[in-house]
Each structure stands twice: as C-alpha cells, then as structure tokens.
Amino acid sequence: MEEQQSPFQAAIKPGLTIGLVSLALTFVAYFIDSTLLGSAWFGLVALVLFFVLIIYFGKQYRTEIGGFMSFGTAFNFSFITMVISGLVGLIGQVLLFHVVDPSLAGVLADQAFETQMSMMESFGQDPDAMDPAVLEEMKSSTAKGFTLSGQLMNFGFGLIVYAIIALILGAILKKRDKSLDY
C-alpha cells in the first residue's frame, strides 16, 4: 500500500509548476512589450490561470487521496501551493527588476501612477487641484513597491491575500464522503 502525501508534500510540485508558469508568462509578456506587465488585463489573465491551475492540481490531489478531502486539507494544500508559487514568482521578479532590466521598475511605477491619476479623474477628482507634495508622495510610494524591500513587503501582504484565496479554494476543493453519514 502506497503512503499518502501530506498536503504540504503534495503542494510542492504544483507550487513549483504554477510559479514557473507564472514566471514564464511574466517573461514572455516582458519580451513582447514590458508595459503589458502593468496592465490590468494581464493581471486578470494571470489570476484566472492561477485559480484554474490550483483547482486542477487540487482535484488531482483529492483523487490521489481517495476522492475525498476535508476543508482543512484543501485549505492547506491551496495555501502552501500559493506560497511556493509566490516565492518562485518573487525570485523571478527580483531578477527581472534588479538584474535583467533595472529600468523596468521605473517604467512600471510611472505606468501605475498614471493609472492612479486616470482612476482619480474618473471618480471626479482633479489631480491638478491636488497638493503637489501629495502627488509626489503618491508617485514615490508607487515606485517603492518595485524596490527589493517593497517586493518583500508586498509578498508579506500577499500572504494575507493567499490565505483568503485558499479559503475560497478550500471550499471549492473539499468533498465529503457522504457514505459515512448515518
């Protein structure tokens, strides 16, 4: 009889796979047009792909362990998969922003700032009427997100988001053995 993997052991391979897929997607977008990395639709496509792959690997794991999985097991599997994937992505982004193309961070920070200004205008706020010091603070805080410390801090905040997403995925992936109900 084969020994079953724990959710932590089972999440390593899918986490690495999803991380490498997202990293490949990031580098392909970078080589096509680096401004794609700052577009909303690119983020949305990456998020949908992320969800689909975790559900796919989660269902595979559920089948491997007998077709049933508790919410806790599904949550642990999903969360660990996302953490490993996030670490792979973090390493890739650090390499991209600090080794491959150090100027990319500035380009994406400017693009993000322009997007913020457009959103403010769409909500009725006139950026020209704002204090220049506030605008400069917004611009510098946007740029800080692309520094090494900013990327690490964003990953830390990302862990909270991963936990919330893992709760949703845990609810999707769990499956109770109804034959045990009396």
Side-chain angles (χ1 to χ4, degrees):
M1 185 165 135
E2 220 176 280
E3 186 177 316
Q4 288 184 354
Q5 290 182 323
S6 72
F8 300 102
Q9 294 167 327
I12 293 171
K13 186 176 177 185
L16 289 172
T17 303
I18 293 169
L20 292 173
V21 166
S22 74
L23 198 57
L25 189 62
T26 299
F27 275 91
V28 165
Y30 168 73
F31 289 121
I32 291 173
D33 179 9
S34 62
T35 59
L36 287 174
L37 296 173
S39 69
W41 71 265
F42 178 78
L44 184 62
V45 166
L47 185 65
V48 168
L49 182 64
F50 195 66
F51 263 95
V52 168
L53 287 173
I54 291 175
I55 290 171
Y56 171 75
F57 287 120
K59 286 184 176 183
Q60 263 188 339
Y61 176 59
R62 184 175 68 195
T63 301
E64 287 174 17
I65 62 172
F68 301 102
M69 185 163 45
S70 70
F71 174 79
T73 301
F75 171 81
N76 287 337
F77 175 83
S78 300
F79 184 70
I80 298 303
T81 300
M82 285 187 281
V83 169
I84 292 170
S85 172
L87 285 170
V88 170
L90 175 65
I91 291 167
Q93 287 183 2
V94 166
L95 289 172
L96 180 62
F97 292 140
H98 301 286
V99 176
V100 175
D101 188 356
S103 66
L104 179 62
V107 171
L108 292 178
D110 290 342
Q111 183 182 358
F113 180 72
E114 292 301 321
T115 302
Q116 286 176 344
M117 293 297 106
S118 297
M119 284 179 62
M120 288 173 63
E121 287 175 357
S122 71
F123 289 123
Q125 174 69 40
D126 182 16
D128 295 331
M130 292 181 67
D131 182 14
V134 171
L135 289 174
E136 191 56 40
E137 175 60 33
M138 286 174 61
K139 191 170 186 169
S140 70
S141 68
T142 302
K144 285 179 188 174
F146 292 97
T147 64
L148 181 59
S149 62
Q151 287 176 305
L152 292 172
M153 193 165 46
N154 288 339
F155 180 75
F157 289 128
L159 291 175
I160 297 167
V161 175
Y162 291 164
I164 293 167
I165 293 171
L167 288 170
I168 295 166
L169 290 169
I172 292 170
L173 292 171
K174 72 175 171 75
K175 187 173 182 182
R176 220 169 42 111
D177 186 357
K178 294 180 182 176
S179 69
L180 298 176
D181 293 344
Y182 298 114

